[in-house]
């Protein structure tokens, strides 16, 4: 499935608003200025997502998963390769000289909180600006390969999950770049509702 140019532009603008809020919240949390690049947004069938991510994320990934429900329901995930997750956790705690390359308990807690802030900011913008109520489950961190991450998605909804909204971003923090991917998995009913509400929001912006 492809988004129309209007849908793509409106969705990018909406997510960028969420990213701005997330960057502000992360900066306040850490005391350092954090920026998130303008997101690259695309829509794909779920079967296409794992092969695409496999090309850019090697090995195991740190995945912060958060289910959401309401008129628009699904699962949102922040995906970082393990090296980026370790680097981001050290940058956020000023612990760049620590040894080891694995995510310890402290690093896992930090990445979970980063995912929580980022996912809530983006999904919260969806809810607020599209004027729909979205409820969030507690985020959970998994460290496994991309295929297992997607296979383990279990959304408590009657609709079959069909599409994934893939959002590519880059964190900039203290002269370091960390690349991450935000994936929002939706069923066909939720996707239809999202696109309808997006059109209404875009029309309100134009008047």
């Amino acid at each position: 499935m492809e988004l129309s140019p209007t849908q793509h532009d409106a969705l990018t603008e909406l997510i960028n608003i969420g990213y701005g809020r997330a960057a502000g919240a992360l900066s306040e949390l850490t005391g350092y200025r954090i920026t998130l690049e303008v997101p690259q947004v695309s829509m794909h069938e779920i079967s296409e997502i794992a092969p695409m991510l496999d090309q850019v994320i090697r090995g195991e990934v740190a995945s912060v998963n958060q289910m959401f429900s309401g008129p628009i329901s699904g699962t949102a995930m922040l995906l970082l390769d393990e090296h980026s997750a370790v680097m981001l956790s050290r940058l956020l705690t000023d612990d760049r000289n620590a040894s080891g390359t694995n995510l310890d308990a402290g690093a896992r807690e930090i990445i979970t909180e980063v995912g929580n802030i980022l996912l809530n900011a983006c999904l919260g913008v969806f809810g607020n600006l599209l004027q729909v109520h979205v409820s969030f489950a507690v985020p959970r961190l998994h460290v496994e390969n991309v295929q297992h991450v997607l296979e383990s998605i279990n959304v408590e909804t009657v609709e079959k999950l069909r599409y994934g909204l893939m959002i590519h971003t880059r964190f900039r923090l203290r002269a370091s770049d960390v690349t991450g991917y935000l994936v929002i998995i939706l069923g066909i009913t939720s996707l239809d509702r999202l696109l309808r509400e997006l059109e209404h929001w875009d029309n309100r912006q134009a008047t």
Side-chain angles (χ1 to χ4, degrees), residues 37-174:
E37 282 190 352
V38 175
Q40 300 174 30
V41 180
S42 55
M43 184 74 71
H44 308 276
E45 291 196 12
I46 288 182
S47 60
E48 299 172 349
I49 292 178
M52 294 176 65
L53 288 172
D54 276 334
Q55 295 178 16
V56 292
I57 302 180
R58 304 296 180 185
E60 292 193 326
V61 299
S63 166
V64 182
N65 297 12
Q66 186 167 40
M67 292 192 298
F68 58 97
S69 58
I72 299 171
S73 62
T75 292
M77 299 176 289
L78 171 65
L79 300 173
L80 299 164
D81 66 68
E82 195 167 10
H83 172 75
S84 292
V86 171
M87 180 188 299
L88 183 59
S89 69
R90 290 177 180 173
L91 288 168
L92 291 173
T93 57
D94 200 20
D95 192 20
R96 286 172 289 179
N97 296 320
S99 60
T101 58
N102 296 324
L103 283 170
D104 58 21
R108 286 170 178 257
E109 185 176 339
I110 291 166
I111 295 303
T112 301
E113 182 61 19
V114 169
N116 185 42
I117 290 171
L118 185 57
L119 297 174
N120 272 276
C122 289
L123 295 174
V125 165
F126 275 26
N128 293 338
L129 297 187
L130 299 180
Q131 299 180 354
V132 296
H133 179 70
V134 180
S135 299
F136 307 100
V138 175
R140 301 189 181 280
L141 176 70
H142 303 277
V143 180
E144 52 195 350
N145 66 43
V146 169
Q147 190 64 49
H148 286 159
V149 168
L150 295 177
E151 288 174 353
S152 66
I153 294 171
N154 179 24
V155 179
E156 296 177 0
T157 177
V158 295
E159 64 172 316
K160 182 176 174 58
L161 296 176
R162 289 282 304 279
Y163 295 101
L165 180 65
M166 196 157 81
I167 303 156
H168 174 206
T169 190
R170 182 171 287 114
F171 300 81
R172 293 190 184 278
L173 168 63
R174 295 153 66 192

